[in-house]
Amino acid sequence: MTKFVSLKDAIAENVFDGDVIALEGFTHLIPYAAGHEIIRQQKKDLTLIRMTPDLIYDQLIGMGCVKKMIFSWGGNPGVGSLRRFRDAYENGWPRPLEIEEHSHAAMANAYEAGAAGLPCAIFRGYLGAGLAEVNPNIRSIECPFTGEKLAAVPSIRPDVTVIHAQKANRNGDVLIEGIVGVQKEAVLAAKRAIVTVEEIVDNFDDVHPNACVLPSWTLKAVVQVRGGAHPSYAKGYYDRDNAFYKAWDPIASERESFQSWMQDNVLNVGPDAFASRVAFTNAEQ
């Protein structure tokens, strides 16, 4: 059953050294606050999965939490490279990093297969692409009905999935509005799921037709963290902090400036700091 707990307890009770973890959210509702708590608790030897790893994965990698990353595109959106990701992969700092790269289509299908309890995903893809030459987990099979050559990749079944959402109700159900990437599939595919939310409400009134509701039985822990997706955005609560994405590049470019920023803004603060970093568009927040 879903537990309403602190972020510290949610991570301590559900994330363990060596786990395979997905922190999902496609440009929207990225679970930064939860990622920072993983760093504060010094979780290590993690395999991180994400369709589009951006700044939070740069931070986790740079703090030595990660041994492997499974992904389909990695970068600072609209800016350039992830500096800590590159340093780890190219120079082994602060530790060597193994990577497994896929296409977006492969990742989405792999999450879907994991949510369905299947061992692999089969789809049309990778025709003429070179990724299969460097990734042994990209294979092909022949359709037994048509003879067509199809791509196959292992399903994604994380030990833990972490997402951010707008609301949870008192029963522990969670409401996601706006862009819904693979959050639903990532939660259903995982052994355990943690959701941070902007607010806890009595019920979901006036639900948008594009909304997704995750029932309480799919979740292990719900945590209220206002502003917990910053610098990404939460529809109806706050906008994307474009300036921060630009500022991150010089911060992360050098190991010393990165470590100093992490000390001041992650290690020395708690999740309550996120609420002060955003300008809430809803006056009631």
Side-chain angles (χ1 to χ4, degrees):
M1 293 183 62
T2 302
K3 294 171 62 177
F4 291 90
V5 295
S6 68
L7 185 56
K8 181 178 180 180
D9 287 346
I11 299 301
E13 294 173 6
N14 292 286
V15 177
F16 307 104
D17 293 347
D19 271 352
V20 177
I21 305 177
L23 291 90
E24 281 293 352
F26 196 74
T27 76
H28 178 229
L29 298 172
I30 299 172
Y32 277 90
H36 284 186
E37 186 60 34
I38 291 172
I39 293 169
R40 280 192 290 270
Q41 295 192 22
Q42 300 180 343
K43 303 298 183 180
K44 59 183 183 294
D45 296 326
L46 304 177
T47 295
L48 295 187
I49 304 173
R50 183 169 161 78
M51 286 187 65
T52 54
D54 64 350
L55 275 54
I56 188 59
Y57 276 36
D58 211 29
Q59 294 168 3
L60 285 156
I61 290 168
M63 294 302 287
C65 300
V66 187
K67 70 174 182 180
K68 180 178 180 180
M69 188 161 70
I70 302 171
F71 68 107
S72 55
W73 179 87
N76 184 343
V79 179
S81 293
L82 294 176
R83 305 292 186 167
R84 295 300 94 221
F85 172 22
R86 290 195 63 157
D87 199 10
Y89 185 67
E90 295 175 354
N91 304 308
W93 190 93
R95 58 167 295 169
L97 177 68
E98 180 184 352
I99 66 171
E100 181 178 325
E101 188 173 1
H102 290 276
S103 67
H104 281 345
M107 295 286 288
N109 278 279
Y111 273 122
E112 186 78 34
L118 296 172
C120 68
I122 300 169
F123 60 102
R124 290 188 176 95
Y126 292 120
L127 298 176
L131 272 179
E133 299 173 8
V134 296
N135 184 349
N137 278 333
I138 299 171
R139 304 186 187 182
S140 62
I141 65 168
E142 182 179 296
C143 174
F145 303 103
T146 66
E148 181 183 3
K149 183 179 178 180
L150 299 170
V153 296
S155 62
I156 294 176
R157 305 192 75 177
D159 294 308
V160 189
T161 287
V162 184
I163 65 170
H164 188 76
Q166 280 96 344
K167 299 176 182 179
N169 64 22
R170 306 292 177 185
N171 187 51
D173 308 314
V174 165
L175 174 70
I176 306 172
E177 293 185 290
I179 294 175
V180 178
V182 293
Q183 290 100 311
K184 176 186 70 174
E185 291 80 6
V187 165
L188 294 176
K191 297 175 184 175
R192 304 179 296 278
I194 301 168
V195 182
T196 55
V197 297
E198 292 296 329
E199 62 177 327
I200 298 170
V201 298
D202 292 328
N203 53 64
F204 300 146
D205 293 330
D206 301 322
V207 175
H208 190 277
N210 191 42
C212 171
V213 176
L214 294 169
S216 59
W217 59 264
T218 65
L219 310 169
K220 282 289 187 180
V222 172
V223 184
Q224 183 176 11
V225 184
R226 295 174 64 244
H230 179 270
S232 71
Y233 72 100
K235 179 183 179 298
Y237 290 82
Y238 45 89
D239 297 330
R240 186 179 191 268
D241 188 349
N242 294 317
F244 183 82
Y245 282 88
K246 294 178 181 178
W248 181 250
D249 191 61
I251 291 169
S253 292
E254 301 296 334
R255 296 172 184 177
E256 294 77 12
S257 57
F258 165 75
Q259 290 175 317
S260 177
W261 189 92
M262 294 298 291
Q263 187 70 44
D264 292 342
N265 296 279
V266 178
L267 300 180
N268 289 347
V269 301
D272 291 346
F274 277 83
S276 65
R277 295 171 182 168
V278 302
F280 288 101
T281 55
N282 183 339
E284 296 178 0
Q285 295 300 310

